[in-house]
């Protein structure tokens, strides 16, 4: 049995069915991310004065990842245009580029997550706070590369313009530690919404990369038997990919810069 | 593939490349603007969001071909815009009507 309207347009919508389907799906995705952006606004506005973090994320790394995703968007649209021009070899090249860029994005994001999970805030029993990246942890002591602060508020605005903290190797006996917590989603509401938003976005990137990988590899056999239908599949996966790029265009300034 | 169609797409490709360069430029401008003190943080947020909206419009209009789509897609997007705007309106409205005993800072 043939599936209707995979290539030719349905008379009532003027579109092939998959295109209506992907736009309905993207509409639901707008509401999903919209709810999380709404959560971000509520958390940010509700945060006490001076306790919403600034400069906690690496801006050059985030900028590179943004450029990677934008580049993957142009390679996606070029792959589709190549099929429209009947150039299957060029399509293979551009789609392979998209796949590599998607994996690069996930790799850079993983590096950023790892950095946060290795970053610790340690409250000592004498009231001081040590902040830095974990070097070594034994049963007796913890070694971090970081600095001490007297007031926890000093840790929040790292873009305030003051002199940068000098990082040294600090050895802290376990007996002096009152509380030790890494910069995971449990650390602050900022990190909770950061991991939720970027984690959900990363899942979309991974999902999109799986589909792109399939259409680049075994799925591309369809080109030989039904090129129009295959081209439509590339258009649909491309629309999803552009949406993923579009979400990141808002996530980057909101989480990294503001 | 006819020559006419190839010409038609080479015109499109030039446009895609132009949008790509605009997006790269927009990203760099976003980062640079975040280092400029515009007076208060609200102004910096407004500038960053305006640039992000411009970039998103370029992606939507040209990469997602919304500039020349069928009415059906616009119809779906009109509903989406309505509900998204409603969600944001409710979020902002909640600030003027907090529940009792809410601790405000």
């Amino acid at each position: 049995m043939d599936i209707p309207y995979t290539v030719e347009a349905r008379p009532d919508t003027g579109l092939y069915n998959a295109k209506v389907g992907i736009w309905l799906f993207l509409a639901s995705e707008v509401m999903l991310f919209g709810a999380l952006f709404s959560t971000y606004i509520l958390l940010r506005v509700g945060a006490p004065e001076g306790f919403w973090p600034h400069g906690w994320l690496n801006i050059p790394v985030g900028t590179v990842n943004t450029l990677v995703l934008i580049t993957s968007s142009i390679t996606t649209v070029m792959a589709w245009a190549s099929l429209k021009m009947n150039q299957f070899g060029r399509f293979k090249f551009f789609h392979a580029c998209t796949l590599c860029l998607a994996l690069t994005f996930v790799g850079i994001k993983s590096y950023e997550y790892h950095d946060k999970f290795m970053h610790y805030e340690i409250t000592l029993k004498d009231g001081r706070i040590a902040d830095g990246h974990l070097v070594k942890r034994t049963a007796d002591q913890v070694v971090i590369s970081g600095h001490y602060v007297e007031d926890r508020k000093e840790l929040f605005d790292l873009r305030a313009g003051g002199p940068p903290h000098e990082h040294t190797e600090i050895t802290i006996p376990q007996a002096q530690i009152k509380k030790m917590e890494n910069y995971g989603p449990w650390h602050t509401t900022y990190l909770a919404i950061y991991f939720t938003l970027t984690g959900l976005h990363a899942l979309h990137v991974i999902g999109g990369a799986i589909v792109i990988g399939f259409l680049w590899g075994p799925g591309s056999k369809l080109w030989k038997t039904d090129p129009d239908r295959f081209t439509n599949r590339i258009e649909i996966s491309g629309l999803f990919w552009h949406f993923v790029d579009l979400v990141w265009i808002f996530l980057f300034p909101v989480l990294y810069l503001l | 593939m006819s020559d006419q169609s190839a010409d038609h797409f080479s015109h499109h490709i030039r446009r895609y490349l132009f949008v790509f360069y605009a997006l790269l430029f927009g990203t760099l401008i976003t980062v640079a603007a975040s280092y400029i003190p515009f007076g208060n943080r609200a102004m910096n947020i407004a500038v960053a969001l305006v640039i992000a909206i411009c970039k998103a419009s370029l992606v939507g209009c040209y990469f997602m071909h919304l500039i020349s789509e069928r009415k059906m897609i616009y119809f779906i997007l009109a509903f989406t815009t309505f509900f998204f705007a409603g969600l944001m309106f409710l979020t902002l409205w909640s600030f003027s009507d907090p529940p009792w005993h809410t601790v405000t800072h």
Side-chain angles (χ1 to χ4, degrees), chain A residues 11-243:
Chain A
D12 50 357
T13 63
L15 297 157
Y16 59 95
N17 277 354
K19 198 158 183 179
V20 178
I22 191 72
W23 275 108
L24 285 171
F25 174 69
L26 293 182
S28 73
E29 291 276 89
V30 168
M31 296 313 291
L32 172 66
F33 279 100
L36 289 171
F37 274 110
S38 162
T39 308
Y40 168 87
I41 294 167
L42 285 170
L43 290 174
R44 179 164 184 161
V45 174
E49 183 68 32
F51 281 95
W52 189 257
H54 289 112
W56 278 21
L57 301 175
N58 190 324
I59 293 174
V61 171
T63 307
V64 168
N65 234 6
T66 306
L67 299 178
V68 165
L69 213 51
I70 288 171
T71 310
S72 76
S73 248
I74 181 80
T75 56
T76 302
V77 82
M78 293 295 269
W80 171 77
S82 300
L83 289 180
K84 283 283 188 187
M85 291 189 288
N86 215 12
Q87 296 172 342
F88 187 69
R90 267 169 66 102
F91 154 77
K92 281 284 222 180
F93 168 73
F94 282 121
H95 233 37
C97 291
T98 307
L99 196 55
C100 289
L101 290 163
L103 297 176
T104 305
F105 181 89
V106 174
I108 292 174
K109 202 73 227 150
S110 306
Y111 162 77
E112 287 187 284
Y113 278 7
H114 177 259
D115 183 71
K116 283 282 157 277
F117 282 108
M118 295 304 285
H119 190 171
Y120 279 83
E121 180 187 321
I122 304 170
T123 308
L124 305 185
K125 286 177 179 167
D126 62 9
R128 286 184 304 160
I129 295 168
D131 187 84
H133 286 81
L134 187 69
V135 177
K136 198 172 75 178
R137 188 177 193 173
T138 64
D140 302 325
Q141 62 184 27
V142 171
V143 182
I144 62 165
S145 169
H147 58 95
Y148 282 112
V149 292
E150 298 297 329
D151 185 356
R152 191 164 184 254
K153 207 172 177 180
E154 291 174 47
L155 296 173
F156 278 80
D157 195 353
L158 303 182
R159 291 181 74 184
H165 291 289
E166 205 162 298
H167 282 226
T168 52
E169 206 155 275
I170 303 169
T171 303
I172 306 165
Q174 288 276 12
Q176 285 183 21
I177 296 173
K178 186 179 170 189
K179 188 185 173 192
M180 179 171 172
E181 190 175 76
N182 67 3
Y183 278 54
W186 39 79
H187 190 60
T188 61
T189 49
Y190 166 78
L191 286 171
I193 196 69
Y194 161 73
F195 276 103
T196 306
L197 276 166
T198 57
L200 183 66
H201 179 265
L203 284 177
H204 279 73
V205 173
I206 293 165
I210 291 169
V211 172
I212 287 167
F214 172 76
L215 291 173
W216 180 78
S220 66
K221 285 176 192 161
L222 186 64
W223 172 255
K224 287 178 186 163
T225 54
D226 197 344
D228 289 336
R229 192 173 171 191
F230 181 68
T231 306
N232 284 352
R233 284 187 176 182
I234 296 301
E235 184 180 18
I236 296 305
S237 66
L239 284 171
F240 176 78
W241 194 255
H242 297 312
F243 175 78

